[in-house]
Amino acid sequence: MRTFLWILLLSWLTPLVAQPLSMESIASDLRHNIATKLKGKNASIVREIYAQNGNRPLWIGAQNADKMSELIQALKDPLFNYKRKSFDQKAIKKLLYYLDNNAIPVEKRAAVYARLDLLLTNSYVRLVRFITEGDVDWKLVQKKFAALKESNDIRAVWEMKPHSFPPHRPLIAAAKRGNIRDYLVSLLPLEDRYRKLVTLLKAYRRMEKFPQIPYANTPLKLGDRSSRVYEIKKRLQISGDYPKNAPLDKTFDRTLQRAVITYQKRYLLEVTGQVDKTMTWYLNQPVSKNIQAIITNLDKTKLYPKHFENEYIEVNVPDFNLRYYRNGEMVLKKGVVVGRIDRPTPIFDDKMEYVVINPTWTIPDNLIKRDLIHVLREDPNYLVDHNIHVFRGNKEVQITQADLDPYEHSDKRVPWRFVQFPGDDNALGRIKFMFPNKYAVYLHDTDNKSLLDRRYKVYSSGCMRVEQPFELADLVLQHARGSWSREKINEIIATNKPTTIRLKRPIPVHIVYFTVYEEDGLAYFKHDIYLYDMIIQQSTAGNRKETFTVPKKRLITIKKQKQRQKPLSN
C-alpha cells in the first residue's frame, strides 16, 4: 500500500513541476474551503488544526507521503475502526484515483488537492472522536435504565463515565509530525481487553456461515454415529472448538467430546459432553450474533480508562466471576452470586477499605418494605428464627405487624433498624468485604453456598456472594496491619463477635458488565442477563430506538423468579 501511495505522490509532483500548480495555490484553495465549507461539530477542531499549521496542507506533497499512508491505513484498521465506518474513505479513494490518472483538468487540480487535504483532516478528527467517544448515546441508555424503574420496578444502575474529545494539542502534534498510529493507540480504552476483543472480531468476521444442525429429542453422546455428528464437527471446527486437522465424519469420538465440553464452557451451558436441544440452539445461532456481541462489548470499553490499576478486584456480573489482578496477572478467580434480574447488581467503581469477620447484617430500608413486612405477615416468628433484632436508636425494641404495615408502600423510611446478628445462618456468612457506597452492596460470604453451583447465579438483592471468600481474604488482608493467618481468623469466628480489620491501602474494586471476553486463548460469550447489551445496541447510531420495551419472555422469567425467591436475599 505504501509503495502505491508513493507512486501516487510522485505522479502528483510531476504536474506540480510541469503545470502552473504550486503548494501556495493549493494552500489558497484550502484556506477558502476552511472558511466556507466546514460544518458540523468537528469544524472548529479542523480549523484549529490548520491554524496551528499556518493554514497549509497537512497531507499533500512528498514530505507528507508516510503521514498520509499512515492515516489512510488507520481509517480502515479494525483496531481503530471496528465498525467499518466510512469516514469518507470512498471519496478519498476516488480523488486519489482521479489525480493518479490525470483525470482532473489543470485549472481544477489545486482545488482537488485542497479538497483531498481537508477531507483527510476531517476524517482524522472523526476517527479520533470514534475511538474516544464511540457512537453510543449513553444519555439515552441512562434514560432507558430510568424507564425500567418506572415500568417494571427494576433499579438498573450503571455509573457511566463516557469520554469526551481528547485534548487538542497531542492531536495536532500527531497531524503535523506524522506519528498518527502511535497517537491513535494512545487513545485506546482498556487497551488489553480492547485488543483481545478486536482480535476476536477479526476471527469471527472471517468465519464462514455456520451450518444448521437438525434438532432431535435424543442427545448425541460419545460413541454415537449420525449424520448430525458430521454437521456438528464441521460447525465446531469453524468456531475453533474442534481441531482443524481432526476428521469430519459421523462418529462421536473423544475429540468431539472435548470440543463439545469446550464449547459448553464458553457459553455457560451445562457441561455434559453431549449435544442436546439447548446446545443445538446455540450452535444454530448465526455468526452475526457473535459479531454484534463483540462490537457491543468494544463499545463498552469507551466508558473506562486506558487501563485499571496495578492491583484491583474485578467482578464481571454476567460472567458470575470475581478476578483479582496484580501487575497484569490474574492471581485469583472465584464464582459470585449476583443480583436478581429484577434487582440487578449496580455497575460502578469503588475502593475496598475494610473487612468484617462475623458481620451483622442491617437490612436495607428497601428490603424491609419489599420483603420483610410481607414475610412477617406470613411468618410472625421470622425475626426470632433468623436471629434478627429490632432497634430504635441504640435501644432494642419490640414491634408489631400493625407498626410496620403503614410503611410497606410508603416513601418514608422505616424508623427501626433490623439487624441480623452473626452466626452460620447470617445472610452475609462469616465475612464481608466493605467498599462503602450509596447502594449498600458489597462482597460477602453466604449462608446458602449451593447457589454458587447454579448455572445462572442471579439470586441476591444486589450484593455479591463470593465462592470460598477466605481465599479472597488471604489476598486482601495482606494489605492490613499485622498478620492474619487462617488460624487467627478461625479463632475470631469462634467468638461470634464482629471484628473489623482495616486496610492500610484501599483496593480498587471494579464491578463491570462484559458479556464477551478472551481468556486462555478462548472466546467466552455470556448471557445478557440484565439486557444491558440490548439497550446499548438500541441506543447506537444507525440502530437507535428512543424507548426500550422489556420482552414478554423476560417478564415471565422475572415473575417466576420472584415466586421461587428466598425472602430477604442479600
Side-chain angles (χ1 to χ4, degrees):
M1 178 65 182
R2 180 170 291 186
T3 302
F4 171 71
L5 284 172
W6 269 109
I7 293 171
L8 281 178
L9 289 165
L10 288 172
S11 71
W12 299 344
L13 289 176
T14 301
L16 285 175
V17 174
Q19 309 281 352
L21 179 67
S22 66
M23 280 294 180
E24 189 52 48
S25 62
I26 295 172
S28 177
D29 277 297
L30 180 61
R31 287 191 290 272
H32 174 75
N33 288 347
I34 292 170
T36 61
K37 300 289 180 65
L38 284 177
K39 296 178 182 178
K41 62 182 176 182
N42 294 325
S44 62
I45 301 172
V46 173
R47 288 194 187 96
E48 185 180 350
I49 293 172
Y50 278 113
Q52 293 296 319
N53 197 49
N55 284 321
R56 299 186 65 79
L58 282 160
W59 316 100
I60 300 302
Q63 73 277 15
N64 295 320
D66 287 340
K67 186 167 58 172
M68 178 197 268
S69 174
E70 203 174 8
L71 175 57
I72 290 174
Q73 291 282 12
L75 289 172
K76 62 182 180 181
D77 190 337
L79 183 64
F80 310 119
N81 183 12
Y82 56 85
K83 287 192 175 180
R84 294 175 170 173
K85 289 184 172 290
S86 69
F87 296 131
D88 287 324
Q89 290 181 79
K90 286 185 178 180
I92 292 167
K93 186 177 181 179
K94 188 175 181 180
L95 290 180
L96 288 172
Y97 175 82
Y98 286 158
L99 289 165
D100 182 45
N101 289 277
N102 292 318
I104 308 296
V106 174
E107 65 275 11
K108 293 184 179 180
R109 286 181 187 169
V112 173
Y113 282 124
R115 180 185 174 193
L116 175 62
D117 204 87
L118 190 61
L119 207 57
L120 285 162
T121 304
N122 192 57
S123 294
Y124 170 56
V125 174
R126 289 170 64 193
L127 179 61
V128 168
R129 188 178 296 280
F130 176 71
I131 293 171
T132 53
E133 297 180 7
D135 63 356
V136 177
D137 185 339
W138 298 111
K139 289 183 179 178
L140 179 59
V141 172
Q142 294 287 20
K143 180 182 175 183
K144 291 175 180 177
F145 280 4
L148 287 176
K149 177 65 178 173
E150 296 297 322
S151 61
N152 296 288
D153 195 25
I154 297 173
R155 189 187 180 200
V157 174
W158 188 331
E159 290 189 0
M160 296 178 173
K161 300 170 186 174
H163 295 180
S164 56
F165 195 85
H168 295 184
R169 183 175 293 179
L171 174 138
I172 295 170
K176 290 173 67 175
R177 296 170 189 166
N179 55 332
I180 303 296
R181 186 175 181 84
D182 289 346
Y183 169 65
L184 297 179
V185 167
S186 75
L187 301 175
L188 298 180
L190 280 185
E191 185 173 353
D192 289 345
R193 188 187 307 257
Y194 181 100
R195 284 182 177 273
K196 288 178 179 179
L197 287 171
V198 169
T199 299
L200 289 181
L201 182 60
K202 291 178 182 177
Y204 276 80
R205 277 177 168 162
R206 287 194 298 266
M207 288 181 187
E208 58 186 282
K209 185 178 179 181
F210 292 157
Q212 292 295 293
I213 315 298
Y215 286 91
N217 292 323
T218 304
L220 285 169
K221 61 184 183 303
L222 184 65
D224 287 348
R225 281 186 59 82
S226 168
S227 59
R228 293 177 64 233
V229 172
Y230 173 86
E231 297 298 330
I232 291 167
K233 285 186 173 183
K234 185 178 178 182
R235 164 65 180 82
L236 291 176
Q237 196 174 67
I238 293 171
S239 59
D241 300 280
Y242 186 71
K244 295 294 182 186
N245 58 354
L248 292 175
D249 54 33
K250 298 180 180 180
T251 302
F252 200 122
D253 52 23
R254 291 283 183 190
T255 305
L256 178 58
Q257 185 185 52
R258 287 193 293 270
V260 168
I261 289 171
T262 298
Y263 184 90
Q264 288 170 337
K265 288 179 178 177
R266 295 199 300 118
Y267 284 84
L268 197 61
L269 302 175
E270 184 181 1
V271 179
T272 62
Q274 300 181 10
V275 180
D276 59 8
K277 281 186 175 181
T278 299
M279 181 167 171
T280 301
W281 183 87
Y282 275 83
L283 290 171
N284 284 337
Q285 297 305 296
V287 68
S288 58
K289 190 171 182 178
N290 297 104
I291 290 170
Q292 181 56 64
I294 297 168
I295 288 173
T296 300
N297 280 268
L298 277 163
D299 285 342
K300 284 181 275 190
T301 64
K302 299 182 190 300
L303 298 171
Y304 295 98
K306 189 169 185 63
H307 52 76
F308 288 147
E309 302 80 359
N310 287 334
E311 182 170 2
Y312 64 93
I313 295 168
E314 178 183 293
V315 180
N316 189 6
V317 172
D319 184 41
F320 311 120
N321 272 308
L322 172 152
R323 293 170 176 83
Y324 197 119
Y325 290 94
R326 278 183 181 163
N327 300 318
E329 297 293 327
M330 183 173 65
V331 295
L332 183 73
K333 178 180 177 181
K334 294 296 176 184
V336 292
V337 172
V338 300
R340 292 156 39 174
I341 54 179
D342 64 320
R343 298 182 184 182
T345 294
I347 310 301
F348 69 109
D349 307 295
D350 214 303
K351 291 185 178 181
M352 187 180 296
E353 298 177 10
Y354 61 95
V355 174
V356 179
I357 302 171
N358 293 328
T360 59
W361 179 40
T362 300
I363 302 173
D365 187 73
N366 67 315
L367 292 190
I368 296 172
K369 294 172 180 175
R370 296 173 77 171
D371 292 346
L372 184 60
I373 295 175
H374 173 73
V375 168
L376 287 174
R377 193 176 293 124
E378 294 187 349
D379 181 6
N381 293 321
Y382 188 87
L383 297 181
V384 174
D385 292 344
H386 292 83
N387 202 14
I388 298 173
H389 300 249
V390 186
F391 293 87
R392 184 134 198 183
N394 293 323
K395 183 180 179 181
E396 187 168 357
V397 297
Q398 299 293 320
I399 59 170
T400 65
Q401 188 68 38
D403 294 328
L404 282 173
D405 284 343
Y407 294 95
E408 187 170 13
H409 303 291
S410 171
D411 291 333
K412 294 181 179 179
R413 287 189 64 83
V414 177
W416 302 281
R417 285 186 300 117
F418 290 78
V419 181
Q420 187 178 36
F421 280 20
D424 291 332
D425 62 346
N426 186 283
L428 308 184
R430 287 294 186 173
I431 187 169
K432 67 177 179 179
F433 304 84
M434 293 299 295
F435 37 103
N437 58 83
K438 60 187 176 184
Y439 311 113
V441 301
Y442 31 84
L443 294 160
H444 63 80
D445 187 13
T446 178
D447 62 330
N448 189 358
K449 293 177 172 54
S450 65
L451 296 178
L452 285 154
D453 297 326
R454 305 286 180 90
R455 178 184 171 196
Y456 291 117
K457 303 175 181 64
V458 282
Y459 296 100
S460 82
S461 289
C463 282
M464 295 145 283
R465 311 177 196 179
V466 185
E467 174 190 20
Q468 297 174 324
F470 289 98
E471 290 193 22
L472 175 61
D474 289 341
L475 294 171
V476 169
L477 293 179
Q478 291 176 17
H479 295 287
R481 289 185 174 84
S483 175
W484 296 92
S485 65
R486 286 288 186 93
E487 291 76 15
K488 189 172 183 179
I489 290 174
N490 286 336
E491 290 174 4
I492 295 172
I493 291 174
T495 68
N496 226 28
K497 294 181 179 179
T499 301
T500 298
I501 306 171
R502 294 204 166 268
L503 305 181
K504 292 183 291 185
R505 180 172 61 83
I507 301 171
V509 177
H510 301 287
I511 304 170
V512 299
Y513 193 92
F514 286 100
T515 54
V516 182
Y517 62 88
E518 184 272 335
E519 191 168 272
D520 300 326
L522 295 174
Y524 289 84
F525 294 86
K526 303 300 181 178
H527 185 54
D528 182 18
I529 55 171
Y530 296 156
L531 300 186
Y532 291 174
D533 280 18
M534 186 180 293
I535 290 173
I536 291 170
Q537 289 169 23
Q538 294 180 6
S539 304
T540 306
N543 191 38
R544 182 186 177 98
K545 296 181 180 178
E546 293 302 320
T547 59
F548 178 73
T549 303
V550 179
K552 185 179 293 185
K553 184 178 178 181
R554 158 81 163 208
L555 295 174
I556 294 171
T557 302
I558 291 175
K559 184 177 180 181
K560 287 181 178 178
Q561 189 179 44
K562 285 181 177 179
Q563 292 171 348
R564 297 193 305 262
Q565 190 66 33
K566 176 184 174 182
L568 288 172
S569 169
N570 193 45

